[in-house]
Amino acid sequence: MIANCQSDVKFIDFLQNELELSSGDIAVALRKRELENGPLPMLLWQYGLVDIEQLERIFDWLEEQA
């Protein structure tokens, strides 16, 4: 299962539409999250799927959603 709740769906939409990440990149990070139980934004950065500026945009977006 790709997304386990509505907030994941919104977050994945943001990653695809705003940061233009591929479904494959997102799927890799989601698999890593299941294995390592880490926060998805940090996993995206750790595995080189987003740069530091994109990571900041992710945190800004997440803060706006809270």
Side-chain angles (χ1 to χ4, degrees):
M1 184 159 108
I2 294 262
N4 58 12
C5 67
Q6 187 62 29
S7 61
D8 277 355
V9 172
K10 288 175 64 177
F11 184 51
I12 290 168
D13 283 345
F14 167 77
L15 294 174
Q16 289 179 319
N17 297 322
E18 298 297 321
L19 298 185
E20 299 180 357
L21 293 181
S22 72
S23 297
D25 286 347
I26 294 168
V28 166
L30 289 172
R31 281 194 298 275
K32 294 295 184 185
R33 180 174 71 172
E34 288 179 12
L35 294 172
E36 299 176 22
N37 200 27
L40 191 55
M42 295 308 296
L43 291 170
L44 288 165
W45 180 69
Q46 179 181 355
Y47 288 96
L49 302 172
V50 297
D51 62 29
I52 194 72
E53 290 176 5
Q54 290 171 310
L55 183 61
E56 289 176 8
R57 286 182 62 195
I58 289 169
F59 286 134
D60 289 344
W61 184 87
L62 289 170
E63 188 174 311
E64 289 173 10
Q65 304 306 305

